[in-house]
């Protein structure tokens, strides 16, 4: 079968969108897969696209077929506690030798149906077991047993008896979690009974097209983590997400081992503004205004998204497990008011900071927060085109007019965007030259770069990055690091997504090749190219390494591309020809040394590093204690640690230097606006919700956490050091290594000598 692409491609959100789908509507009433050719035709065309268009061009052979069976079972049963090993052995015998050929040639989905039917059977067995156990058992939590965590790679239960042992421990963990939240026993029994019964009802109610979507999405992920099958509902969700005026909570969600996990928060969206959610949080239940919560564990992502969406101004309450927290810990709740996510909310913003330096002097430093590489038409502004490059240029001009000594470009929450914007924005800091190289499966390399010799800013530049900095962010950071134009500071490396995806709507392809479909077949998002830096190194897997690494919780665990299933490998191509400016390397060792001394001697950083160590211990834990007394001690320790962090936060905020908010609206005004007011009293102790200022000055952005501010403050200190070194030359050895800005009250940095508890 020969497939032909047609139409014009555009680049947005790091993807090449080919043949943007039209007519995407609600779920069609699909006939069962057994009696319609549509499911088979969708399967054939999806397999063909992956074989011939995905970057690796790997045939769907017996090895990939075996992976598909295993991964599909994991997609349904992420904790590996429902499907038995005997089930998987049976499926391997029944389908292992024929699955590849049957999928390619006839589009057979018999394996998908059989595994799903067995999954429903096991789900029914678990629901019955849980109901009987809750009715008759009396749980004891005085022993030293534990619930095993992180079962996504564990051995499956051999038989029903072994599975029931896992189900009992999971039930006990959930029961204890509710008990630790001081829920009464009768209510715990009612909650857990409804939870398991609802999971069974939800999965039984899935339509055949939804089951097919899970199966084909798993097939795409066998090739790489960013190739996806998008059913017609998910394609509609994708189309909505591309519209910068979408209504919702402003979060990107993904399925992670049966949990709905928050992958990203949309800058300027209700969730990001609330400060109540963070990346990695897992949503376990969703409640509408005044209604009972609906359990969403094991629920298909599209169904969960439907529950979270709603009209502007309405509220939704989410029950969450915190990022990194093991199953069985008491969940927390967050109520978010749905709202519109608009372009102006996601636009670049800047701050000017009067940073106390040595000998009573003050350095003026600029911070530009760039949440994405956007490019769109702003209808509110008469249809004028808005772009990240143009907006950052405006902010840079204002910062230069105010005589800044250095600039921090904050990319910590920037997950990508327009490739063209990444290239043109890089050009604001260099004269001309290559910015990114791309390679197709045939090995052809294209070089794209900046051709405009104008430079918007030529002073000291620091890029602040994290594991959330991805795709287009990595293109800019990699290029400016290769040129020696900017110092990269932050997590050990960025995310490591160095691939390009193309979205191919299947209806038009199927029409072209004469394959029938009785409903919208959705689309295939397929990886087609890889990114490379000007030096020739790929950003795939390794990302962009920081010149100066700062302690960070986002640097823990298997976060980033390297922790995903089946990522494409890192490799290199030939170097492009570009200018090596050499502005960074002579100073990196001194900047690292001075930053390390500051962090090592600062009490706030010790608090944060203790917090990071606690998160690391949770990630490393193989099991969760089911001893109630031990768990209550740990909860008390956690509370004491949070209280200690709040005290540190109050003092840290009280000592913040003068800041001025610079927006695209006030950048053209002469002079500076009124300084941002520091948080006061109780408000300064919490970074979990938005607060208002207490005087006529604008309040500081309270959605920034204590850790966010510490990292940014250290980035500013590094920028100040860097600016002085550039001004005085490489022989300068005296750098400010103190925590407190000179002239600030030392009382603001002193803490009572209290004992600290850790779990």
């Amino acid at each position: 079968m020969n497939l032909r692409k047609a139409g014009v491609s555009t680049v947005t959100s790091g993807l090449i969108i080919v043949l943007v789908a039209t007519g995407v509507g609600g779920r069609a009433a699909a006939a069962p897969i057994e009696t319609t050719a549509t499911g088979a035709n969708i399967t054939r065309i999806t397999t063909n696209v992956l074989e011939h268009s995905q970057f690796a061009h790997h045939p769907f052979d017996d090895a990939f077929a075996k992976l598909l069976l295993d991964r599909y079972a994991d997609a349904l049963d992420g904790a590996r506690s429902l499907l038995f090993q005997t089930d998987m052995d049976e499926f391997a015998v029944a389908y292992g030798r024929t699955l590849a050929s049957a999928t390619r040639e006839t589009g057979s989905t018999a394996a998908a149906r059989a595994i799903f039917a067995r999954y429903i059977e096991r789900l029914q067995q678990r629901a019955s077991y849980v109901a009987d156990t809750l009715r008759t058992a009396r749980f004891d939590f005085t022993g030293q047993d534990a619930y095993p965590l992180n079962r996504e790679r564990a051995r499956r239960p051999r038989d029903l008896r072994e599975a029931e042992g896992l189900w009992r421990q999971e039930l006990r963990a959930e029961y204890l979690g509710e008990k630790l939240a001081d829920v009464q026993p009768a209510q715990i029994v009612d909650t857990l009974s409804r939870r398991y019964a609802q999971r069974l009802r939800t999965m039984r109610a899935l339509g055949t097209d939804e089951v097919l979507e899970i199966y084909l999405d798993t097939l795409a992920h066998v090739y790489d983590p960013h190739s996806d099958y998008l059913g017609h509902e998910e394609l509609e969700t994708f189309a909505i997400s591309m519209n910068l005026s979408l209504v919702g909570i402003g979060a990107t969600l993904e399925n992670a081992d049966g949990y709905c996990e928050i992958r990203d928060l949309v800058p300027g969206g209700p969730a990001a503004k609330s400060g109540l959610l963070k990346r990695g949080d897992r949503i376990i239940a969703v409640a509408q205004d005044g209604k009972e919560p609906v359990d969403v564990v094991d629920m298909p992502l599209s169904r969960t998204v439907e529950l979270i969406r709603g009209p502007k101004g309405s509220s939704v309450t989410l029950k969450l497990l915190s990022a990194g927290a093991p199953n069985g810990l008491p969940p927390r709740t967050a109520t978010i008011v749905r709202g519109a996510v608009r372009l102006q909310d996601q636009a670049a913003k800047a701050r000017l900071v009067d940073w106390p330096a040595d000998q009573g002097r003050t350095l003026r430093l600029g911070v530009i927060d760039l949440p994405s590489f956007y490019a769109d038409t702003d209808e509110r502004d008469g249809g004028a085109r808005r772009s990240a490059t143009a907006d950052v240029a405006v902010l840079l001009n204002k910062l230069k007019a105010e005589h800044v000594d250095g600039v921090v470009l904050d990319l910590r929450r920037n997950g990508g965007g327009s490739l063209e914007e990444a290239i043109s924005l890089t050009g604001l800091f260099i004269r001309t030259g290559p910015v990114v190289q791309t390679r197709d499966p045939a090995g052809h390399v294209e070089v794209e770069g900046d051709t405009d010799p104008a430079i918007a800013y030529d002073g000291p530049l620091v890029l602040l990055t994290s594991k959330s900095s991805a795709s287009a962010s990595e293109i800019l950071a990699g290029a400016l690091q290769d040129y020696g134009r900017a110092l990269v500071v932050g997590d050990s490396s960025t995310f490591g997504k160095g691939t390009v995806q193309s979205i191919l709507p299947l209806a038009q392809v199927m029409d072209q090749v004469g394959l029938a479909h009785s409903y919208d077949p959705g689309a295939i998002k397929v990886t087609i190219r890889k990114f490379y830096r000007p030096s020739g190194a790929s950003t795939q897997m390794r990302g962009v390494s920081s010149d100066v690494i700062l302690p960070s919780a986002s640097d823990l665990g298997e976060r980033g591309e390297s922790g995903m299933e089946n990522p494409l490998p890192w490799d290199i191509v030939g170097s492009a020809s570009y200018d090596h400016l050499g502005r960074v390397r002579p100073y990196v060792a001194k900047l690292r040394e001075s930053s390390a001394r500051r962090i090592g001697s600062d009490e706030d950083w010790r608090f944060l590093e203790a917090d990071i160590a606690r998160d690391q211990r949770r990630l490393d834990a193989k099991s969760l204690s089911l001893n109630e007394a031990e768990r209550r001690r740990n909860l008390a320790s956690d509370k004491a640690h949070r209280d200690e962090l709040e005290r540190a936060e109050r003092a840290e905020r009280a000592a913040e230097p003068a800041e001025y908010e610079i927006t695209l609206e006030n950048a053209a005004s002469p002079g500076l606006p009124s300084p941002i007011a520091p948080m006061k009293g109780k408000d300064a102790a919490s970074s979990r919700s938005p607060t208002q200022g207490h005087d006529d000055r604008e309040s500081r952005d309270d959605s920034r956490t204590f850790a966010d501010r510490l990292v940014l403050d250290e980035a500013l200190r590094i920028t100040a050091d860097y600016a002085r070194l550039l001004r005085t030359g490489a022989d300068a050895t005296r750098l400010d290594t103190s925590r407190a800005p000179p002239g600030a009250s030392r009382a603001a940095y002193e803490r009572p000598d209290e004992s600290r508890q850790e779990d």
Side-chain angles (χ1 to χ4, degrees), residues 27 54 66 155 440 450 486 565 584 688 704:
R27 183 186 299 116
Q54 197 267 351
K66 182 181 184 303
R155 179 179 59 82
D440 64 20
D450 172 50
E565 295 282 357
V584 174
R688 308 300 180 202
R704 290 184 287 156

Side-chain angles (χ1 to χ4, degrees), residues 73-343:
D74 287 342
L76 298 172
D77 177 26
R80 294 195 167 196
S81 63
L82 288 166
L83 292 169
F84 307 163
Q85 187 57 51
T86 52
D87 294 331
M88 298 308 299
D89 294 341
E90 177 187 335
F91 298 137
V93 171
Y95 303 106
R97 295 181 179 179
T98 61
L99 182 60
S101 59
T103 302
R104 287 196 314 269
E105 295 166 12
T106 67
S108 172
T109 55
R113 300 196 306 274
I115 294 173
F116 186 76
R118 185 67 54 83
Y119 166 71
I120 293 295
E121 179 185 338
R122 301 301 184 214
L123 205 59
Q124 172 67 67
Q125 289 176 308
R126 186 178 70 172
S128 298
Y129 174 84
V130 166
D132 291 342
T133 302
L134 287 172
R135 188 167 49 250
T136 60
R138 294 294 179 267
F139 293 138
D140 176 76
F141 298 109
T142 61
Q144 297 303 313
D145 59 330
Y147 171 66
L149 299 171
N150 304 321
R151 284 191 48 82
E152 60 268 19
R153 293 181 177 88
R155 179 179 59 82
R156 297 183 185 279
R158 286 187 297 267
D159 50 28
L160 179 60
R161 181 177 179 179
E162 190 169 297
E164 286 180 342
L166 290 173
W167 299 344
R168 181 179 179 84
Q169 288 300 81
E170 182 178 10
L171 182 61
R172 293 183 67 225
E174 292 181 303
Y175 192 105
L176 180 56
E178 297 287 338
K179 189 177 183 183
L180 292 172
D182 298 324
V183 180
Q184 295 302 308
Q187 187 178 348
I188 295 175
V189 170
D190 180 62
T191 297
L192 295 180
S193 298
R194 285 189 291 105
R195 179 179 300 169
Y196 280 89
Q198 181 190 298
R199 290 177 187 174
L200 177 61
R201 286 195 304 271
T202 298
M203 299 309 291
R204 275 180 168 170
L206 290 189
T208 52
D209 55 336
E210 291 176 293
V211 176
L212 178 66
E213 182 175 336
I214 297 170
Y215 184 65
L216 294 183
D217 197 43
T218 305
L219 170 60
H221 292 165
V222 167
Y223 279 83
D224 75 271
H226 301 293
S227 290
D228 301 302
Y229 170 74
L230 308 174
H232 35 276
E233 278 200 353
E234 194 170 356
L235 184 60
E236 180 182 19
T237 298
F238 181 85
I240 292 173
S241 72
M242 299 304 293
N243 182 343
L244 288 173
S245 295
L246 64 98
V247 173
I249 67 170
T252 303
L253 309 176
E254 64 183 354
N255 189 293
D257 299 319
Y259 287 94
C260 175
E261 186 172 296
I262 297 173
R263 188 177 68 190
D264 284 306
L265 299 177
V266 179
K273 288 181 176 179
S274 75
L276 298 173
L277 307 181
K278 64 179 180 178
R279 181 176 181 175
D281 284 347
R282 290 169 291 169
I283 302 172
I284 61 173
V286 179
Q288 311 299 332
D289 283 323
K291 295 184 179 180
E292 287 292 314
V294 176
D295 188 274
V296 297
V297 176
D298 293 328
M299 182 180 287
L301 189 61
S302 58
R303 294 287 184 94
T304 305
V305 170
E306 288 177 7
L307 291 173
I308 295 174
R309 278 186 192 156
K312 181 179 179 180
S314 63
S315 63
V316 60
T317 298
L318 308 177
K319 186 177 288 187
L320 303 147
L321 295 176
S322 297
N327 302 341
L329 286 184
R332 71 181 201 276
T333 59
T335 299
I336 310 293
V337 177
R338 301 176 177 104
V341 181
R342 302 168 299 174
L343 176 61

